[in-house]
Amino acid sequence: MRSLIRWRFKGKLKIILILLFLFSALFMSYQILYYTSLTNYQSQESHKQVLNSKSKERFSEESTGGYRKSEKLEVEVIPGRGKLVGGAILGVAPEYWPLYEPKQRNKKFFTCFASSREISWSKVNDDYCDCPADGSDEPSTSACMNGRFYCTKSTKHYPEYIPSSRVNDGICDCCDGSDEYESLFLTSVCKKSC
Amino acid sequence: MIMSRLWSSSLVTSKIIFLSYVFLILISHSDTVDRSKFKTCDQSGFCKRQRNVKEGSATYEADLSQGTVSTSSVSIPVINKGNGIPFVLEVFLLEGLKFRVKLNEAKPLRPRYEVEHALLSNMREGKLEVKKAADHWALIADTNNEARVYSTPLRIEFYSGGEKVTVINGRQMLKFEHLRKKPDVNDEPNDENAANEEGKEEPEPSMWEESFGGHQDSKPRGPESVGVDIDFPFTQHLYGLPEHADSFLIKDTKGGDPYRLYNLDVFEYEVNNGMALYASVPYIMAHSPKNTVGLLWLNAAETWVDFDVGGGSNLVDSIVNLVGGGASDEKVGRTRWMSESGIIDIFVFMGPKPTDVMRQFGEVAGTAPLPQMWAIASQQCRWNYNDEEDVRQVDEGFDSHDMPYDSIWLDIEHTDGKKYFTWDSHKFGHPVEMIQNITAKGRKMVTIIDPHIKRESGYFVHEDALRDDLYVKDKTGKVYEGWCWPGAASYLDFFDPKVREYWSSRFRLENYPSTVDLYTWNDMNEPSVFNGPEVTMPKDLIHYGDWEHRDVHNLYGLLMVKATYDGQMLRSENQLRPFILTRAAYVGSHRYTSIWTGDNTAEWSHLKISIPMCLSLGIAGFAHCGADIGGFFHNPEPELILRWYQAAMFQPFVRNHAHIETKRREPWLFGDHNTALIRSAIRKRYALLPYWYTLFHQAEMEGIPPMRPIWMLFPDDVKTYNIEGQHLIGNALMVAPVLEKGASKVSVYLPGVIWYDFYNYVAYQSGYHTIPVTEDSIPVFQRGGTIIPTKQRIRRASTLMKRDPFTLFVALDENNEARGRLYIDDGQSFGYRNGKFLEVEFTFKDNKLQSRVVNPGSYATTEWVERVVILGWRNRPASITVSSKSVGTSKLEFEGTHPLVIRKPRTLITEDWEIILS
């Protein structure tokens, strides 16, 4: 019985190691790609118009120990579009930004990715889940159980995507702390680790 | 004797013996309990003597002419005419319709033990009116409730609403063995030492010594047992008497053994029998449509209880009943209670409704305090998580599989050689850092702390205990030495206040490298002694106050958890609510601890029995009860663990735990498909946490457990009296878990009027239903007329959900009305006892849902209402508007009619608001 378990364990270990190698290879190649897209995004940013927002949320001094003052995130809440930080839609990978740009696409409705259900643009990122199948209407918030949040930055040790349930739960999951933009209840200090 | 000599002969031999013992425990996978290790009634001297008592044989008389009366009690001399021994009977009335009956020797040779610590010390007295008649005294509590003490023969009757509900010694089977001097072996028995007790019995050899399984019980104090019949003339539906792996409805014991109450570590216990288990609460409820009473037998010694409630295993009786049609007419529930020592001390809770009895019980035994929020979420345990890296990986595993959980537990292997309050320096070299890594995600840790102390020089607890005299002694006054996990071990005498104080101080962070986020699991506290009689302490050991272990056995675990509780209070300076999980318990333990049903087995029958076991513990005060998910021994098949997860998420205490020799059992190890199904089950628990938490608060306030028998809410519906596989959570949810392998449907009985499937909203009228189930199905129904607060955003841990918005489920009754409550506080501190909490009442009436804060401004929170789901709505409303201070008045979007989902009212939970459907 014991030896059987050990054999199985050894077999598993082998597979795990192979998978690990493949994964790291993939990850490295992705990192290179990501770097290029990141530079693209930064060059685009200067052309972006700054949208007005009713409420401007800022990290408070005491809760952002990890950030120096100049690095504070400014979160702008844009109804019908999302939470924006420095022009980026929080929780959305740059390649998907067009799907959240109503004016560019000149569409009356937002279409849930999985269910193809159409909802008004005001319901996008309004902290209520209208696309429960995939959470596609709430990429910036924690409203959907099946949603995912894109970290504005990721590293080898920090993920690219996290489940929506980890947005604003008081724990830094993204290396830049972008998942914890409601500093109100930031219980652990986000150390900048990117 | 031979055994003990062998053990003391040399350390080497004893170690070998011990190791082989442990080895045997670990490898023996026999499928059944070893019954030869545990006594039957016949093998227990006093039980045999007590069980031989015939109806009508008792010769006790009360001398009413010599009785005295005070405002709340009477005291009446009683004499046993058979041998002239005098007794004193006292009957007390306690405020809130509770009677207490005490019978003790008038002039015992030595004091007899009266149970301490179990009940509240500040019970309030009632005001009694005594009416004296020639043959009895009537003790009147109020117009509906009275007790009557009859003189010849002695019997005590209790009346509620004109119905005789309880009779003590009505069948004259009282047998109170008075203390006596040991007769000289050469002497003939004579009348003076009353060897011929009650003039009928021959002295038995078991009176002055007995042996079992090679263990000698010296019994220096001789026979001292007590026993009496207690009948319930109004019903045969008796419930409770935990802890037994048996049905909630108590079974007839004719032709079998009585139910036994003696805290024991029973290896691989079997289901459906009355053998003793880890906990003993001598408490039952007797129930009928008209009346409910509770009965507490306050005695901490070994106790056996016989039941004559019909349907016994006696074939002749059954045939007689069947032929004569007597079974249906017969409704007297007869019981007889037998304890090895102590006095007769009985509480009768007069009801008249089940919830009244729960309150009355709580006023005497206390209620279970509100746990921290994390403690009512999902916990992960194993014997053992091997080292810090293992802990990290399991914690990480929950995150990577997106499964919430709230604490990870370490069993005995985390210690340095089973020395509690220490850490294995190789495997757990950085305990504080490890705990902090877990708590950084809002989770907690729990370590096991057992009462057996390793006898190793240099171990501080052992050294302190020897120096300061903290151990239990044997009959000669020497420190008692037994065997348990560490090998040679001694046991702290928690009956000594200085021992409890010492124990409590061990939890201080300077004494135990840890943080205030590390909580405690007190196991093996029956106490378990591997080489002791029936795997526990010999009865002739001596505790603080010169009491024999015989007198106090069932209290040992209570005093241990009390000291642990005080320790957790001490280290947090009374700020944080303690959490303790115990295996052994007595009445009152619930004031300090949560409980689980011990070392169960990975079998469907054990999943099934977890429901009656927790219902039974629940009515005895244990609000926070659960069973090891999957079964402790052996490996559950995927279907079993899935169904177990689904059922356990609707039980008060939730923990996955397994034996060291089982396969790893983290919830993602049963294939992707099952992982998704288990995740779905766990999420259902987390969604309902606001409701559970509200119920746990109610348990502290009113003594009503969150997990309830159906008849507690529907006392008149006799169809609910025999249901063992279904239970309520609060008054709003009915759960009927899948308890059979390969089941495609579940038979359900729904009382009342209308219920809604909580997950697919199908409406059911009252009656019997066959509910089809899928792998993901847990038949759960919301009762029409209730409102349930939930949170639909499931986080990694419950503590991270405290700012999240609510979704309310409103299930309408036949009048289109519903009500519900929500209780909120900080989830961890004692602030709520100083008013720092929020209580909200929801009412749906006249097409309007109203939320009213009962105590505005007491607790600050930003929680809001994101969704309202209305079940049972008939027509699509034209419009829905919300109004409150924070949102003003505005129209709301909505979808559907049944369910009618109202989108985002956005009102704050701290404000009053209303939603109008028009």
Side-chain angles (χ1 to χ4, degrees):
Chain A
M1 194 62 186
R2 283 246 166 120
S3 58
L4 187 73
I5 290 168
R6 180 162 293 172
W7 178 84
R8 278 189 188 155
F9 178 67
K10 270 191 172 173
K12 263 189 188 164
L13 199 69
K14 206 171 166 184
I15 294 166
I16 286 169
L17 281 171
I18 292 166
L19 281 173
L20 209 69
F21 175 75
L22 283 172
F23 178 75
S24 44
L26 266 169
F27 189 82
M28 284 312 289
S29 49
Y30 170 77
Q31 283 294 304
I32 295 162
L33 280 172
Y34 178 75
Y35 180 75
T36 34
S37 73
L38 194 70
T39 36
N40 283 344
Y41 149 58
Q42 275 164 353
S43 61
Q44 280 169 8
E45 195 180 304
S46 52
H47 306 292
K48 242 176 143 31
Q49 57 180 141
V50 177
L51 295 162
N52 285 328
S53 67
K54 277 180 189 166
S55 66
K56 217 170 203 183
E57 295 168 18
R58 283 167 173 273
F59 280 94
S60 62
E61 290 277 357
E62 64 271 31
S63 62
T64 54
Y67 288 100
R68 275 164 298 168
K69 210 170 181 182
S70 57
E71 290 177 317
K72 268 188 189 168
L73 291 177
E74 286 197 8
V75 180
E76 299 165 274
V77 182
I78 313 299
R81 184 138 172 269
K83 316 273 182 183
L84 281 91
V85 173
I89 305 174
L90 270 185
V92 184
E95 61 264 39
Y96 295 115
W97 289 355
L99 295 169
Y100 294 91
E101 297 281 355
K103 280 169 191 160
Q104 283 178 23
R105 294 176 58 97
N106 199 23
K107 270 184 66 179
K108 212 176 166 194
F109 294 105
F110 173 83
T111 311
C112 299
F113 299 173
S115 65
S116 301
R117 181 184 175 190
E118 294 196 321
I119 59 170
S120 71
W121 281 100
S122 64
K123 288 179 183 168
V124 173
N125 277 323
D126 72 337
D127 206 12
Y128 183 93
C129 193
D130 294 281
C131 309
D134 62 354
S136 52
D137 65 317
E138 295 291 324
S140 299
T141 77
S142 60
C144 291
M145 272 318 294
N146 296 316
R148 58 179 195 166
F149 180 94
Y150 174 83
C151 294
T152 47
K153 288 181 185 171
S154 55
T155 69
K156 204 163 85 181
H157 300 293
Y158 282 86
E160 186 187 8
Y161 279 102
I162 59 167
S164 292
S165 62
R166 291 175 199 175
V167 174
N168 289 322
D169 67 348
I171 293 161
C172 289
D173 293 284
C174 301
C175 68
D176 61 351
S178 52
D179 57 321
E180 293 302 318
Y181 57 86
E182 271 184 16
S183 57
L184 260 179
F185 49 94
L186 201 63
T187 54
S188 63
V189 175
C190 292
K191 291 260 177 351
K192 196 181 173 191
S193 322
C194 301
Chain B
M1 287 297 276
I2 298 163
M3 296 288 266
S4 62
R5 241 181 262 146
L6 189 73
W7 264 306
S8 56
S9 62
S10 92
L11 196 65
V12 179
T13 349
S14 51
K15 272 203 170 164
I16 291 167
I17 289 168
F18 174 69
L19 285 174
S20 46
Y21 190 91
V22 170
F23 184 70
L24 273 175
I25 285 183
L26 295 183
I27 64 152
S28 69
H29 272 193
S30 66
D31 284 315
T32 54
V33 63
D34 181 359
R35 281 173 190 263
S36 69
K37 269 191 179 160
F38 303 102
K39 289 182 184 176
T40 61
C41 179
D42 263 359
Q43 292 166 324
S44 178
F46 85 91
C47 186
K48 191 177 177 189
R49 296 198 300 276
Q50 284 283 354
R51 223 185 182 197
N52 281 337
V53 173
K54 302 279 181 296
E55 275 190 29
S57 67
T59 50
Y60 296 79
E61 290 179 11
D63 186 355
L64 294 175
S65 67
Q66 298 296 309
T68 56
V69 178
S70 76
T71 26
S72 64
S73 67
V74 299
S75 176
I76 301 166
V78 167
I79 192 155
N80 181 354
K81 288 279 182 185
N83 58 13
I85 303 290
F87 294 86
V88 176
L89 171 74
E90 292 172 286
V91 183
F92 304 81
L93 176 68
L94 301 168
E95 195 183 272
L97 299 177
K98 302 171 286 246
F99 284 103
R100 180 179 196 176
V101 176
K102 279 170 87 167
L103 183 69
N104 195 357
E105 285 184 66
K107 295 170 196 151
L109 216 53
R110 289 176 302 279
R112 297 181 69 117
Y113 185 71
E114 296 188 31
V115 171
E116 298 172 285
H117 308 291
L119 304 184
L120 297 177
S121 48
N122 55 348
M123 284 182 261
R124 281 196 286 197
E125 295 174 347
K127 205 166 159 352
L128 201 59
E129 187 195 332
V130 180
K131 279 191 182 159
K132 298 179 181 177
D135 67 333
H136 75 276
W137 283 9
L139 318 180
I140 297 162
D142 65 13
T143 49
N144 283 321
N145 293 276
E146 67 174 83
R148 288 183 204 154
V149 181
Y150 287 85
S151 67
T152 316
L154 170 70
R155 75 175 186 280
I156 306 151
E157 299 180 345
F158 298 83
Y159 292 83
S160 173
E163 186 171 47
K164 186 155 53 170
V165 288
T166 306
V167 184
I168 299 174
N169 199 32
R171 287 180 285 140
Q172 285 113 61
M173 295 174 81
L174 171 62
K175 181 184 171 77
F176 198 123
E177 292 180 331
H178 61 281
L179 298 173
R180 64 202 77 184
K181 293 200 179 83
K182 187 169 184 176
D184 197 311
V185 194
N186 301 319
D187 281 1
E188 288 294 309
N190 59 51
D191 288 339
E192 206 173 69
N193 66 24
N196 282 337
E197 202 202 345
E198 274 131 39
K200 290 169 195 165
E201 290 180 356
E202 292 298 311
E204 290 184 36
S206 65
M207 282 181 165
W208 293 95
E209 66 173 354
E210 59 184 294
S211 68
F212 178 76
H215 295 276
Q216 206 73 21
D217 178 2
S218 64
K219 301 187 74 171
R221 299 177 188 186
E224 49 178 330
S225 75
V226 295
V228 71
D229 54 291
I230 304 173
D231 293 349
F232 303 91
F234 72 108
T235 185
Q236 293 193 324
H237 287 102
L238 310 180
Y239 300 90
L241 203 75
E243 180 184 40
H244 297 100
D246 209 342
S247 57
F248 182 43
L249 180 69
I250 291 171
K251 290 174 186 155
D252 201 289
T253 56
K254 284 193 299 289
D257 250 15
Y259 283 82
R260 189 183 189 199
L261 293 170
Y262 192 57
N263 292 354
L264 291 176
D265 179 1
V266 181
F267 183 76
E268 295 197 336
Y269 67 77
E270 283 173 51
V271 301
N272 297 320
N273 69 69
M275 284 175 72
L277 269 183
Y278 316 97
S280 299
V281 189
Y283 175 67
I284 60 168
M285 280 172 86
H287 176 69
S288 79
K290 192 179 164 199
N291 271 303
T292 308
V293 299
L295 185 116
L296 173 63
W297 171 265
L298 190 65
N299 189 306
E302 179 184 345
T303 297
W304 297 77
V305 193
D306 258 321
F307 292 90
D308 175 358
V309 288
S313 53
N314 186 326
L315 191 66
V316 179
D317 271 12
S318 316
I319 293 169
V320 167
N321 281 340
L322 198 69
V323 174
S328 54
D329 299 340
E330 178 69 278
K331 59 168 194 174
V332 182
R334 299 185 183 87
T335 71
R336 190 157 185 284
W337 301 66
M338 305 165 270
S339 289
E340 187 173 11
S341 68
I343 64 162
I344 291 181
D345 193 352
I346 299 164
F347 288 75
V348 182
F349 307 116
M350 299 297 287
K353 290 290 163 206
T355 46
D356 297 322
V357 174
M358 289 310 305
R359 177 178 42 78
Q360 289 155 353
F361 175 83
E363 285 164 1
V364 165
T367 59
L370 176 64
Q372 291 196 33
M373 180 65 94
W374 71 266
I376 67 167
S378 176
Q379 328 299 337
Q380 184 65 34
C381 186
R382 180 175 178 81
W383 177 24
N384 212 95
Y385 287 122
N386 301 323
D387 51 25
E388 289 176 357
E389 178 56 18
D390 199 4
V391 169
R392 195 194 62 75
Q393 282 180 14
V394 172
D395 183 65
E396 181 59 36
F398 275 94
D399 285 345
S400 59
H401 295 89
D402 200 13
M403 284 182 166
Y405 90 109
D406 267 68
S407 71
I408 183 162
W409 297 41
L410 298 177
D411 208 323
I412 50 175
E413 314 298 334
H414 81 277
T415 58
D416 173 16
K418 317 295 186 298
K419 291 181 296 219
Y420 304 106
F421 301 105
T422 71
W423 299 87
D424 184 306
S425 58
H426 299 290
K427 299 184 224 156
F428 295 95
H430 319 86
V432 171
E433 197 185 324
M434 171 184 66
I435 297 166
Q436 283 168 347
N437 286 339
I438 297 296
T439 55
K441 291 183 191 166
R443 295 170 179 145
K444 311 289 176 189
M445 284 197 77
V446 177
T447 49
I448 198 165
I449 304 277
D450 288 351
H452 47 259
I453 302 303
K454 187 174 193 174
R455 296 185 59 87
E456 182 180 287
S457 60
Y459 176 31
F460 56 95
V461 180
H462 178 57
E463 302 267 337
D464 294 347
L466 286 181
R467 190 188 62 234
D468 298 334
D469 190 22
L470 308 179
Y471 281 137
V472 179
K473 311 292 192 316
D474 68 14
K475 61 175 189 257
T476 67
K478 285 204 326 254
V479 168
Y480 171 68
E481 192 178 325
W483 288 88
C484 208
W485 298 124
S490 287
Y491 292 74
L492 292 173
D493 186 6
F494 291 103
F495 291 86
D496 186 343
K498 103 174 164 255
V499 173
R500 293 200 299 275
E501 200 177 312
Y502 170 77
W503 184 259
S504 301
S505 71
R506 291 299 96 203
F507 290 87
R508 282 183 176 279
L509 302 184
E510 62 263 33
N511 293 330
Y512 186 19
S514 59
T515 80
V516 292
D517 288 316
L518 180 72
Y519 291 89
T520 310
W521 172 19
N522 285 157
D523 195 6
M524 311 294 279
N525 50 351
E526 294 76 24
S528 176
V529 182
F530 291 159
N531 62 337
E534 302 193 87
V535 203
T536 191
M537 281 181 179
K539 284 175 171 169
D540 52 10
L541 296 191
I542 301 297
H543 289 277
Y544 174 78
D546 198 32
W547 298 110
E548 276 194 298
H549 186 68
R550 182 186 332 275
D551 301 317
V552 299
H553 173 84
N554 286 344
L555 270 172
Y556 186 88
L558 181 146
L559 285 159
M560 185 197 185
V561 297
K562 179 178 158 69
T564 304
Y565 184 94
D566 291 344
Q568 288 191 13
M569 289 294 274
L570 202 64
R571 65 165 196 189
S572 84
E573 291 171 341
N574 302 328
Q575 295 303 304
L576 295 170
R577 295 172 221 164
F579 171 80
I580 305 163
L581 182 71
T582 189
R583 197 170 69 182
Y586 187 65
V587 57
S589 294
H590 62 272
R591 296 197 303 276
Y592 311 106
T593 183
S594 308
I595 194 166
W596 96 109
T597 61
D599 300 343
N600 58 358
T601 302
E603 285 168 11
W604 289 87
S605 61
H606 279 257
L607 163 60
K608 209 171 191 171
I609 212 75
S610 68
I611 295 172
M613 287 180 86
C614 279
L615 284 174
S616 183
L617 283 160
I619 63 162
F622 291 86
H624 201 203
C625 170
D628 285 346
I629 294 174
F632 175 71
F633 292 112
H634 307 316
N635 295 304
E637 55 187 319
E639 186 188 354
L640 175 58
I641 198 164
L642 168 64
R643 292 309 191 188
W644 206 313
Y645 257 104
Q646 292 172 340
M649 292 302 152
F650 293 90
Q651 293 177 6
F653 175 69
V654 179
R655 186 182 71 152
N656 176 334
H657 180 48
H659 190 279
I660 195 165
E661 289 288 299
T662 60
K663 289 181 203 152
R664 292 296 283 240
R665 198 184 282 183
E666 288 72 50
W668 53 86
L669 295 176
F670 298 88
D672 288 349
H673 183 60
N674 287 310
T675 301
L677 293 167
I678 293 173
R679 181 190 297 119
S680 155
I682 299 176
R683 284 180 172 184
K684 289 182 166 100
R685 170 66 169 215
Y686 278 72
L688 278 166
L689 283 175
Y691 179 61
W692 276 104
Y693 197 65
T694 304
L695 292 173
F696 275 102
H697 179 251
Q698 189 192 10
E700 174 172 341
M701 295 294 117
E702 300 168 33
I704 304 171
M707 180 175 175
R708 302 171 189 173
I710 304 166
W711 52 259
M712 198 169 276
L713 183 60
F714 296 93
D716 306 341
D717 189 340
V718 296
K719 294 194 197 78
T720 65
Y721 292 2
N722 297 310
I723 294 177
E724 301 276 337
Q726 256 177 269
H727 61 92
L728 294 168
I729 297 166
N731 285 348
L733 284 182
M734 170 83 77
V735 186
V738 178
L739 304 170
E740 309 281 347
K741 181 177 167 62
S744 59
K745 55 189 189 302
V746 174
S747 296
V748 174
Y749 176 68
L750 297 172
V753 181
I754 188 161
W755 296 77
Y756 299 94
D757 187 303
F758 194 54
Y759 296 106
N760 67 18
Y761 314 126
V762 173
Y764 294 91
Q765 299 298 319
S766 65
Y768 292 97
H769 296 277
T770 301
I771 310 293
V773 294
T774 65
E775 286 172 307
D776 198 25
S777 288
I778 311 160
V780 176
F781 307 89
Q782 183 178 359
R783 186 167 63 88
T786 61
I787 300 176
I788 296 177
T790 71
K791 286 192 173 182
Q792 299 295 321
R793 303 187 184 188
I794 313 304
R795 307 283 196 173
R796 262 173 295 208
S798 69
T799 52
L800 306 178
M801 293 163 66
K802 67 180 179 191
R803 306 268 175 169
D804 286 336
F806 291 98
T807 294
L808 304 180
F809 285 84
V810 181
L812 300 177
D813 65 10
E814 63 277 21
N815 304 314
N816 279 338
E817 291 178 9
R819 309 169 70 80
R821 285 176 63 238
L822 170 66
Y823 170 87
I824 314 174
D825 62 23
D826 66 12
Q828 56 176 17
S829 82
F830 280 105
Y832 74 103
R833 298 215 175 142
N834 300 317
K836 295 237 180 304
F837 64 90
L838 194 74
E839 216 171 347
V840 183
E841 278 180 5
F842 306 112
T843 319
F844 190 97
K845 202 180 176 183
D846 303 328
N847 300 347
K848 186 161 77 180
L849 174 62
Q850 274 188 309
S851 176
R852 193 179 68 85
V853 178
V854 179
N855 57 341
S858 309
Y859 175 71
T861 173
T862 55
E863 284 155 287
W864 52 287
V865 180
E866 73 169 336
R867 191 182 292 106
V868 174
V869 181
I870 298 178
L871 308 177
W873 190 256
R874 281 158 193 87
N875 309 304
R876 188 176 169 79
S879 78
I880 297 178
T881 42
V882 62
S883 53
S884 84
K885 204 175 162 194
S886 75
V887 300
T889 300
S890 56
K891 286 203 169 177
L892 295 175
E893 289 186 44
F894 56 93
E895 282 182 278
T897 48
H898 176 80
L900 174 67
V901 180
I902 304 175
R903 189 186 192 278
K904 213 178 174 190
R906 249 176 58 230
T907 52
L908 296 171
I909 205 71
T910 48
E911 64 182 352
D912 289 352
W913 52 265
E914 61 181 36
I915 291 174
I916 298 169
L917 286 69
S918 51

